[in-house]
Amino acid sequence: MAAAVAISSTVKYGIIGVGMMGREHLINLHHLRTEGVAVVAIADPHVPSQQLALQLAQSFNWPLKVFSGHRELLESGLCDVLVVSTPNMTHYEILMDIINHPKPHHVLVEKPLCTTVAHCKEVVNAARKRQDILVQVGLEYRYMPSVAKLIEIVKGGNLGQVKMVAIREHRFPFLVKVNNWNRFNVNSGGTLVEKCCHFFDLMRLFAGANPVCVMASGAIDVNHKDEIYDGKVPDIIDNAYVIVEFDNGSRGMLDLCMFAEGSKNEQEISVVGDIGKGEAFVPESIVRFGTREKGRDGVHTLKAEDDRIKYDGLHHGSSYLEHLNFLSAVRAKGSQAPAVGLQDGLISVAIGVAAQLSIEKGRFVPITEVMD
């Protein structure tokens, strides 16, 4: 893969979509300025978001060109790298426009890659024809220090052959977004795509395998039931259990609750192999691991930290490390693939779509059903 984006000493970034997450990317990139990056342009049709991003950039002494749409930003030719952090349902069109544009731009796209499997597959196929660009998907939970440490422990063989992965996310309800786009499945892909693609990605990483079958149970039990937007009541689920079977015989389980503010940890991850067990806790950033042989008294507990992180932000430093990692791939000029590729993005969405379908239909859903 020969990345043909002409990279000067300063890598010039544009951010498409400067709502809460887009501004978070802006701050992370400001903390990476010593690595030779600059945000030079933003695109967003929502004027209040533009203004908030401009205020941030001014406080960083970063002059920005402001565009109301992504096409104008593309045509400007100002950027080497684009960050796509727009509402989920817009990713497909924006990505296709970037990939099909004559000038190559490397891309970091927020999760989920797209809201449907069909759109994800189109993006994957289009990107294959562009050997001159890199596309990384924003599944940054991999970089949270405690999760990264647990990945290291698992990949080091300390737990043996992984048999079970259990992930619990107990947290607060979805935040309010511009025009309340995230209150409806048609916009977000559904809670299990929007939020939980992170966890399906981690399950696949820990299991070292691909999904075969999904079964889920979930509902809207507490949140958003008294909200009405343009005469419509939100339809996004606020709690679910999801079981994923993998092609090597291992299983994953997600326990999601979005009305559990009374939790010490937002995420608790457990990986059990045939010789040991490991756990990661976020935001405590604690990792525990032990073997069957040594039992309870042999469990190690450690605090996971990463000295490279200069800004914790909304995701415990993982967005900072995600940018650092992607910048390294960009600078490698084709000799280094993005750490989280389009196939990872596609499969994480496919599991979420299968889980949503399983709830709707009340049955197991083979992954082939949503992939085909």
Side-chain angles (χ1 to χ4, degrees):
M1 184 192 297
V5 177
I7 301 295
S8 62
S9 55
T10 300
V11 183
K12 294 173 184 157
Y13 282 72
I15 302 177
I16 301 171
V18 285
M20 186 189 75
M21 201 57 219
R23 296 193 298 273
E24 175 76 356
H25 283 297
L26 179 59
I27 299 168
N28 273 284
L29 288 163
H30 172 64
H31 284 276
L32 274 161
R33 64 197 181 283
T34 52
E35 303 291 327
V37 309
V39 177
V40 298
I42 59 169
D44 197 311
H46 188 65
V47 174
S49 295
Q50 284 180 13
Q51 289 169 339
L52 288 166
L54 268 174
Q55 285 165 17
L56 267 178
Q58 281 162 0
S59 73
F60 303 153
N61 285 322
W62 267 355
L64 284 187
K65 285 281 284 184
V66 180
F67 300 94
S68 60
H70 69 279
R71 291 192 182 99
E72 294 92 326
L73 189 154
L74 279 172
E75 289 303 321
S76 75
L78 290 170
C79 305
D80 307 311
V81 180
L82 298 174
V83 177
V84 178
S85 44
T86 55
N88 300 358
M89 68 285 187
T90 66
H91 288 186
Y92 166 70
E93 183 187 340
I94 292 169
L95 286 170
M96 292 301 278
D97 284 347
I98 295 169
I99 291 165
N100 291 323
H101 196 270
K103 174 180 159 62
H105 298 84
H106 299 311
V107 190
L108 174 65
V109 57
E110 262 305 328
K111 60 78 203 165
L113 175 56
C114 299
T115 56
T116 70
V117 173
H119 280 168
C120 287
K121 286 169 83 171
E122 279 191 59
V123 168
V124 171
N125 291 333
R128 278 202 189 109
K129 297 170 188 156
R130 288 298 298 259
Q131 295 296 298
D132 52 349
I133 67 174
L134 301 176
V135 185
Q136 178 158 317
V137 182
L139 293 164
E140 82 283 344
Y141 278 42
R142 295 178 179 214
Y143 298 117
M144 288 181 181
S146 57
V147 179
K149 186 64 184 175
L150 184 56
I151 292 168
E152 187 186 306
I153 288 165
V154 171
K155 297 302 178 194
N158 297 281
L159 312 182
Q161 179 67 45
V162 170
K163 298 295 181 186
M164 302 177 81
V165 181
I167 300 179
R168 170 181 287 160
E169 178 169 69
H170 281 193
R171 55 163 278 170
F172 48 89
F174 278 127
L175 300 171
V176 175
K177 297 287 177 94
V178 174
N179 297 329
N180 305 292
W181 68 264
N182 64 339
R183 294 302 196 253
F184 298 95
N185 290 328
V186 69
N187 296 332
S188 70
T191 301
L192 298 177
V193 172
E194 150 65 19
K195 187 71 201 71
C196 303
C197 57
H198 278 306
F199 307 122
F200 301 137
D201 177 60
L202 291 178
M203 282 180 194
R204 182 169 162 253
L205 201 58
F206 286 125
N210 280 315
V212 175
C213 197
V214 178
M215 184 177 182
S217 171
I220 313 166
D221 286 330
V222 176
N223 297 342
H224 317 306
K225 295 174 84 160
D226 56 352
E227 298 173 14
I228 296 177
Y229 304 99
D230 296 327
K232 288 182 262 186
V233 178
D235 60 357
I236 46 167
I237 63 171
D238 61 13
N239 70 103
Y241 292 118
V242 182
I243 295 169
V244 185
E245 294 183 348
F246 290 90
D247 59 12
N248 64 353
S250 58
R251 283 182 205 83
M253 186 189 76
L254 173 68
D255 164 2
L256 173 74
C257 180
M258 300 193 66
F259 44 89
E261 290 92 332
S263 303
K264 186 172 181 66
N265 284 296
E266 201 170 302
Q267 288 92 25
E268 300 175 19
I269 301 171
S270 160
V271 182
V272 187
D274 53 7
I275 63 171
K277 174 183 174 179
E279 295 176 283
F281 301 91
V282 180
E284 270 188 305
S285 212
I286 297 288
V287 177
R288 294 197 186 99
F289 65 103
T291 60
R292 297 175 69 190
E293 185 184 3
K294 292 188 178 169
R296 189 173 292 156
D297 295 336
V299 174
H300 302 275
T301 301
L302 56 93
K303 180 84 173 170
E305 294 172 317
D306 192 319
D307 294 339
R308 294 173 299 167
I309 296 170
K310 292 181 182 173
Y311 173 67
D312 284 336
L314 300 176
H315 299 112
H316 318 292
S318 61
S319 294
Y320 181 87
L321 295 174
E322 171 184 56
H323 275 292
L324 196 61
N325 183 289
F326 187 51
L327 180 63
S328 168
V330 167
R331 283 226 161 98
K333 297 187 175 170
S335 62
Q336 181 183 332
V340 191
L342 285 168
Q343 193 67 17
D344 300 312
L346 163 64
I347 296 176
S348 69
V349 167
I351 299 173
V353 168
Q356 294 277 150
L357 188 61
S358 177
I359 292 169
E360 185 189 325
K361 302 289 188 188
R363 61 169 169 82
F364 274 98
V365 174
I367 282 292
T368 51
E369 185 177 332
V370 298
M371 287 294 276
D372 297 339

